[in-house]
Amino acid sequence: MLSCGLIPENEVAKTAGVALSPITGGAIVDERLATSTPGIFACGNALHVHDLADFASEEGERAGASAAAFARGEMQGGSASADEAPIEVVAGEGVRYVVPQMISHDAEGAVMLSFRVSDVIEGVRFEVRESEGAGVGEVLVRARDMVAVPAEMRRMKVDAESLAGCSRIVVSAVSGLSARQVPAAEGGAR
């Protein structure tokens, strides 16, 4: 299991042949936090930088449970070992990155998506949408907030059952004007 302190260090992952995200510098994982290398799982700041220790701890528990299931033979190899191509998870408008980057078709329960916005967004609307080819499909999950900032990781759960038949989903953060565009008189200076 890959994990590290505040500064991401992924030399061990590189040596093991784990596929890394060019955006986060961490491993590319599925919903079980399985990497592309069978038997290797990633969490915490080895996956992406966390602003809250609680989120990193929760991720560690999930990765540990997945690693234990793998060791007991209850789970197949890494994220790349599935017979069917996984559901691709993509950062859409206003989102810098999303973890996990893929979801297995046999995922169960609620899948936690962690992401960061790319700019300050006021009156933000978060959406997880089905996306097939160039088209945008049904909204699977929607949430709103007063403001979103890049320094604060956001999380949304999507029900695995709602992903049936999907090959790709897009996570977006849209709405209002970014704080850089809002005139100072309207409270845009933060």
Side-chain angles (χ1 to χ4, degrees), residues 106-118:
D106 61 354
E108 297 176 350
V111 175
M112 181 65 73
L113 302 175
S114 300
F115 59 96
R116 289 188 189 271
V117 296
S118 53

Side-chain angles (χ1 to χ4, degrees), residues 28-157:
I28 294 173
V29 295
D30 66 11
E31 78 286 353
R32 304 166 302 167
L33 303 177
T35 68
S36 58
T37 303
I40 298 181
F41 301 81
C43 61
N45 288 347
L47 186 53
H48 58 126
V49 176
H50 290 70
D51 49 335
L52 296 176
D54 291 354
F55 292 163
S57 294
E58 182 182 297
E59 218 171 62
E61 289 176 15
R62 280 192 296 140
S66 294
F70 177 81
R72 290 189 303 267
E74 299 168 2
M75 186 172 94
Q76 294 299 313
S79 61
S81 68
D83 292 337
E84 187 176 5
I87 300 164
E88 181 183 13
V89 182
V90 178
E93 182 180 349
V95 173
R96 179 160 163 64
Y97 73 84
V98 183
V99 171
Q101 295 89 346
M102 64 189 95
I103 300 171
S104 307
H105 287 281
D106 61 354
E108 297 176 350
V111 175
M112 181 65 73
L113 302 175
S114 300
F115 59 96
R116 289 188 189 271
V117 296
S118 53
D119 200 2
V120 176
I121 306 172
E122 294 187 2
V124 66
R125 183 181 74 240
F126 302 108
E127 291 183 344
V128 178
R129 284 185 174 267
E130 179 180 4
S131 174
E132 302 300 330
V136 177
E138 175 185 349
V139 174
L140 304 173
V141 181
R142 181 178 283 141
R144 292 185 174 273
D145 205 345
M146 297 286 290
V147 66
V149 297
E152 184 178 304
M153 186 169 67
R154 294 303 183 125
R155 301 179 342 145
M156 291 178 74
K157 289 182 181 178

